[in-house]
Amino acid sequence: RSPHKFKEEKAAVDEMMLAEFKSTLVQDMRKTGYEYTRGEGNEKITFKLAKEFGFCWGVERSIELALSASQKFEGKKLHITNELIHNPGVNEMMGANGIEFIEKTDEGKRFDVVEAGDVVILPAFGATLEEMQLLDDRGVTTVDTTCPWVSKVWNVVDKHKKADMTSVIHGKYSHEESIATASFCEDYIIVKDIDEAEYVANYILNPSEDAKAELLRKFKNAVSKGFDPEKHLKKVGIANQTTMYKKETLAIGKLFEKTMMMKFGPEEVQERFAAFDTICDATQERQDAIQEMVQAPGAKDELDFILVVGGWDSSNTAHLVEIPHSAGIEAYHVNQADCIKADNSITYRDVDGEIKTKKDFLPLDRPAVIGVTSGASTPDAYVQESLEQLFLLKGLSKA
């Protein structure tokens, strides 16, 4: 189904999203130069908001379509093949509106619960080609909320397939989006970072039977069925999970272009290497904004820390944490407001993905200056709830 078929449901959905996701505090901060101060003396707290943050168009579109489907098909059984987006509050909202998550087991997803006539929602990350075909055969109504930027990547890997190229996907092999993208490939290998990319490039330049066996062991969960490094790394095209770090994706592309040039000569590069821009604008804008914040004159001395709000399993949010970390500025990644406790402790996900708790994280004996950003799947209201927790720690009333 396409979005225009949900016109009748739009007013109700807009009202739901306004009530659940909008924030007057964040709106005010946007209007006043992305900065907000409350309190006097030691109670004083200043928030500096990144210029780009929070909900992107693709995520907002996905939520609107899913909620519209819950209104349009009221009375029918509604399923969703995965989390709609990586945000716990949003996914709870889906459940509250009658949308059931298809259970995952060790054997795979429980599609046996889906019957003809049911409605199945495909999440923002998309679904695999096999899942789409299964649903078509099952005779269900499908509501596709896949982000258009993800669909753009699928078009790119299709070009790789037609050019007899192996897709080198910069992403996490267990991430729903990378799994979906890989399903559209003939041959692929998924590299999570520049280090893994360099490992593959080194094999291309220095192949051996031992190196081949080691590569297949290292990437056993991240390659296509029947992948043969000797055969499948002679022509490569670059694609990416749209939420990855742009600079790293570009570096990986340049690495493989150089590798092909060194291996086969400059005259064959065009035939053996391809790279198209598939980096999501919203992801890049949020990364640029936090980069601007940490690089501002005096930021390292001025900011007590940067609060990053977003799902702990959100890839784009995790990359926002990496930027202040690299600049030597403390950053706390919380997935919801109750990570900030009344005893002045904070439970957060660190840059390595570990969940930790820190006591006395907010200075109470002097004014505090806090940088603030949020992932592309984080509603403004969830940011406000987290900031209100900091107000309370400072002895101030909520916004």
Side-chain angles (χ1 to χ4, degrees):
R1 294 181 66 93
S2 52
H4 71 270
K5 294 188 178 180
F6 290 129
K7 283 181 180 177
E8 293 174 11
E9 292 73 34
K10 189 175 188 319
V13 168
D14 285 349
E15 189 175 334
M16 289 167 68
M17 292 188 69
L18 184 66
E20 179 72 18
F21 299 141
K22 302 303 179 185
S23 159
T24 53
L25 174 60
V26 172
Q27 283 180 334
D28 289 346
M29 290 173 75
R30 279 193 174 103
K31 294 174 184 175
T32 56
Y34 296 86
E35 192 167 314
Y36 185 87
T37 299
R38 286 187 66 191
E40 300 290 339
N42 291 341
E43 291 182 347
K44 184 178 179 182
I45 187 166
T46 298
F47 296 122
K48 290 181 176 289
L49 186 64
K51 300 283 172 54
E52 295 289 344
F53 65 95
F55 261 4
C56 66
W57 170 79
V59 162
E60 199 159 348
R61 170 185 175 274
S62 183
I63 295 171
E64 286 177 352
L65 287 172
L67 291 176
S68 294
S70 73
Q71 299 281 306
K72 179 80 173 180
F73 300 109
E74 190 175 3
K76 285 201 169 190
K77 196 166 184 181
L78 285 91
H79 310 268
I80 187 165
T81 61
N82 223 313
E83 290 185 339
L84 184 71
I85 59 173
H86 282 152
N87 185 283
V90 172
N91 291 312
E92 286 170 13
M93 187 181 186
M94 295 300 112
N97 280 276
I99 301 170
E100 298 181 8
F101 292 85
I102 293 175
E103 183 186 354
K104 290 183 187 176
T105 68
D106 292 340
E107 289 75 39
K109 295 178 186 173
R110 290 284 310 275
F111 282 106
D112 57 301
V113 302
V114 179
E115 299 176 349
D118 288 356
V119 178
V120 180
I121 298 167
L122 308 183
F125 315 109
T128 67
L129 190 58
E130 293 78 14
E131 288 175 352
M132 293 182 196
Q133 289 170 343
L134 182 151
L135 294 171
D136 280 347
D137 294 342
R138 194 66 57 92
V140 302
T141 298
T142 302
V143 179
D144 187 358
T145 81
T146 305
C147 173
W149 277 99
V150 175
S151 302
K152 184 179 178 182
V153 180
W154 296 349
N155 291 334
V156 165
V157 297
D158 187 56
K159 290 177 182 177
H160 296 166
K161 185 162 62 173
K162 289 174 180 174
D164 198 28
M165 287 180 162
T166 293
S167 293
V168 177
I169 303 168
H170 176 210
K172 301 171 183 175
Y173 71 80
S174 60
H175 191 283
E176 298 94 325
E177 184 188 324
S178 287
I179 293 169
T181 296
S183 75
F184 286 85
C185 301
E186 187 73 33
D187 304 298
Y188 68 84
I189 183 167
I190 302 173
V191 296
K192 71 176 180 181
D193 53 29
I194 191 69
D195 291 338
E196 288 195 352
E198 286 174 347
Y199 188 97
V200 176
N202 186 58
Y203 169 82
I204 293 171
L205 296 175
N206 304 286
S208 70
E209 284 302 312
D210 286 346
K212 176 179 174 178
E214 181 60 22
L215 185 145
L216 288 172
R217 184 198 65 77
K218 183 178 177 66
F219 292 92
K220 64 180 180 180
N221 296 315
V223 292
S224 47
K225 188 176 180 180
F227 186 82
D228 182 349
E230 192 175 345
K231 174 185 175 184
H232 294 131
L233 291 174
K234 292 181 177 179
K235 295 172 69 177
V236 300
I238 306 299
N240 73 308
Q241 184 183 310
T242 56
T243 55
M244 299 304 279
Y245 196 28
K246 176 181 179 178
K247 289 181 180 177
E248 192 166 41
T249 297
L250 294 175
I252 289 169
K254 289 184 182 299
L255 170 67
F256 278 100
E257 183 178 30
K258 183 180 178 181
T259 300
M260 289 298 161
M261 192 180 299
M262 292 171 67
K263 179 76 173 179
F264 300 105
E267 68 279 3
E268 292 194 33
V269 168
Q270 195 167 354
E271 180 190 342
R272 294 183 180 273
F273 173 79
F276 302 91
D277 182 7
T278 58
I279 296 164
C280 166
D281 283 348
T283 297
Q284 183 54 37
E285 287 164 359
R286 281 145 189 75
Q287 290 171 1
D288 288 345
I290 199 70
Q291 193 80 53
E292 181 184 338
M293 180 184 287
V294 301
Q295 289 179 345
K300 193 170 180 180
D301 296 324
E302 181 187 29
L303 295 172
D304 288 292
F305 58 83
I306 292 177
L307 186 69
V308 182
V309 186
W312 279 339
D313 52 357
S314 165
S315 179
N316 79 83
T317 309
H319 289 301
L320 295 178
V321 180
E322 293 171 6
I323 296 170
H325 177 79
S326 297
I329 297 174
E330 190 80 71
Y332 298 116
H333 174 187
V334 300
N335 69 343
Q336 48 196 12
D338 62 11
C339 288
I340 300 168
K341 304 287 196 257
D343 64 357
N344 196 18
S345 67
I346 186 167
T347 299
Y348 65 100
R349 182 187 187 276
D350 74 3
V351 72
D352 296 316
E354 291 185 44
I355 307 303
K356 296 181 176 179
T357 298
K358 184 171 181 178
K359 296 179 179 178
D360 301 319
F361 78 101
L362 180 67
L364 302 179
D365 57 351
R366 59 174 175 79
V369 180
I370 315 300
V372 181
T373 190
S374 57
S377 51
T378 307
D380 288 354
Y382 297 3
V383 176
Q384 175 166 331
E385 288 169 5
S386 297
L387 300 187
E388 286 177 338
Q389 292 294 92
L390 298 180
F391 285 144
L392 292 176
L393 286 177
K394 278 288 194 178
L396 302 167
S397 60
K398 292 185 178 183

